[in-house]
């Protein structure tokens, strides 16, 4: 392994782990992870993967940084308000770790571009850091169709959930959540609110899954949905099964091309008496 003296020191706490070692750290340095969304989930995931030395990190996001993001999207700073999120994210990562090659995609993901983006650098693992159902179903279907592993996650209020899909080894997102919810059924974080640290808790679990997959160690969240309730400080690991009738990964899949679902809108009305 041809590590520089700086790399030996930077990654020393990894290298002394028997599950990682020099060979494992080299795997991390050679790996490529795509993060779709540099918000509450994607921001902490990106920062920890960059700190770990993931060689290539792709950032996909069309939004610009605004003040309301800074309560949870820790990759961005006050000085970044108004800047493209992918540029802000790239700058933060490069300041943290110059070993990382950051590829930016300042665009909305859709059925027309998502597979091209994933194939652009032949990413090893995909992290879904998006905040809406159409994007989550799109990422799932694309990854299933082209056989790419990915981590799903979602956060709202004081709750979060995550699961990992590995081709041929367990259920996909559609096995659990068959179709996007109807319009007005589920509020977004913008409408319902979210405790800022939820992104850090769940996003770093996503980063952990990516690193474990790259290293080939431990047990991934394949076949499980991990949920977290911050108010109760309670994790639950729920067994989930592959659905034979799943539209995309089942025995007779009906979805063979990607679908662009309309983003549901919801007017959240709650009575806080």
């Amino acid at each position: 392994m041809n590590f520089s003296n700086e790399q030996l020191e930077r990654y020393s706490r990894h290298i002394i782990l028997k599950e990682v070692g020099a060979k494992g750290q080299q795997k991390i340095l050679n790996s490529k992870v795509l993060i779709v969304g540099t918000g509450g989930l994607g921001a902490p995931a990106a920062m920890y993967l960059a700190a770990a030395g993931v060689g290539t990190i792709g950032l996909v996001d069309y939004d610009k940084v605004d003040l309301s993001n800074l309560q949870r999207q820790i990759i961005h700073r006050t000085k970044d308000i108004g800047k493209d999120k992918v540029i802000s994210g790239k700058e933060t990562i490069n300041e943290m770790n110059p070993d990382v090659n950051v590829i930016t995609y300042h665009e909305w993901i859709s059925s027309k571009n998502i597979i091209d983006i994933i194939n652009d650098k032949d990413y090893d693992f995909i992290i879904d850091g998006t905040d809406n159902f159409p994007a989550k179903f799109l990422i799932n279907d694309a990854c299933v169709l082209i056989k790419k592993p990915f981590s799903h996650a979602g956060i709202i209020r004081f709750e979060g959930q995550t699961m990992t899909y590995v081709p041929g080894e367990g259920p996909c997102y559609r096995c659990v959540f068959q179709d996007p919810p109807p319009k007005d059924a589920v509020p977004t974080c913008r409408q319902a609110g979210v405790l800022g640290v939820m992104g850090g808790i769940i996003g770093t679990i996503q980063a952990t899954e990516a690193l474990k997959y790259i290293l080939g160690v431990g047990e991934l969240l394949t076949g499980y949905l991990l949920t977290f309730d911050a108010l109760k400080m309670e994790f639950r690991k729920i067994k989930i099964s592959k659905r034979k009738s799943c539209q995309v990964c089942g025995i007779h899949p009906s979805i063979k091309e990607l679908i662009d679902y309309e983003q549901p809108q919801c007017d959240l009305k709650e009575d806080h008496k």
Side-chain angles (χ1 to χ4, degrees):
M1 307 297 165
N2 296 317
F3 295 112
S4 67
N5 289 334
E6 181 180 319
Q7 286 177 320
L8 286 171
E9 183 173 358
R10 181 186 289 272
Y11 306 119
S12 61
R13 302 304 191 275
H14 272 176
I15 293 170
I16 62 175
L17 288 170
K18 68 176 183 178
E19 294 86 353
V20 182
K23 289 184 179 180
Q25 186 58 49
Q26 191 63 57
K27 285 183 180 179
I28 295 172
L29 288 165
N30 292 338
S31 68
K32 294 168 285 188
V33 177
L34 180 70
I35 301 173
V36 186
T38 53
L41 293 163
M47 291 183 73
Y48 269 101
L49 291 173
V54 168
T56 300
I57 295 178
L59 300 178
V60 187
D61 206 310
Y62 189 71
D63 285 345
K64 295 182 182 296
V65 180
D66 68 47
L67 186 58
S68 69
N69 300 149
L70 304 185
Q71 165 252 18
R72 65 202 177 282
Q73 300 178 17
I74 61 171
I75 204 167
H76 311 300
R77 306 287 185 266
T78 302
K79 66 181 177 61
D80 297 320
I81 292 173
K83 188 179 294 184
D84 293 343
K85 285 186 177 180
V86 292
I87 299 302
S88 171
K90 176 182 173 68
E91 290 173 352
T92 301
I93 288 172
N94 288 156
E95 287 174 9
M96 178 195 298
N97 190 350
D99 284 347
V100 182
N101 177 31
V102 183
I103 312 297
T104 60
Y105 305 90
H106 182 233
E107 50 192 302
W108 294 108
I109 60 164
S110 71
S111 62
K112 296 179 177 61
N113 65 9
I114 186 168
I115 289 179
D116 287 340
I117 290 173
I118 293 171
N119 288 336
D120 181 42
K121 299 298 177 183
D122 191 22
Y123 288 99
D124 302 305
F125 194 90
I126 317 302
I127 288 181
D128 170 13
T130 63
D131 63 357
N132 64 85
F133 288 105
K136 292 186 181 301
F137 279 91
L138 183 66
I139 292 167
N140 175 81
D141 294 353
C143 288
V144 172
L145 290 174
I146 63 174
K147 295 180 170 57
K148 288 286 184 179
F150 79 97
S151 169
H152 150 77
I155 53 173
I156 194 166
R157 298 188 179 100
F158 294 85
E159 299 176 351
Q161 66 180 33
T162 182
M163 62 176 281
T164 299
Y165 168 78
V166 176
E169 293 188 18
C172 76
Y173 181 71
R174 269 193 196 270
C175 289
V176 186
F177 309 99
Q178 297 186 29
D179 294 291
K183 183 178 179 181
D184 296 341
V186 181
T188 65
C189 287
R190 181 188 297 270
Q191 297 155 334
V194 62
L195 187 69
V197 297
M198 293 303 301
I201 295 166
I202 304 299
T204 51
I205 291 174
Q206 291 186 279
T208 306
E209 290 287 277
L211 291 171
K212 285 160 55 186
Y213 177 82
I214 290 162
L215 292 167
V217 301
E219 297 179 5
L220 297 172
L221 286 171
T222 51
Y224 291 95
L225 181 70
L226 184 70
T227 66
F228 176 60
D229 184 327
L231 290 178
K232 295 179 180 178
M233 197 52 70
E234 180 178 87
F235 280 97
R236 292 182 63 208
K237 191 176 179 183
I238 303 163
K239 180 70 176 176
I240 54 176
S241 300
K242 187 168 182 176
R243 188 165 51 86
K244 291 181 180 180
S245 60
C246 177
Q247 304 98 304
V248 69
C249 78
I251 297 174
H252 301 292
S254 58
I255 296 175
K256 299 179 181 179
E257 294 184 356
L258 298 177
I259 304 167
D260 289 312
Y261 291 103
E262 181 182 354
Q263 169 62 45
Q265 298 297 320
C266 176
D267 294 323
L268 182 68
K269 297 177 182 178
E270 288 197 67
D271 186 8
H272 295 287
K273 291 183 179 178

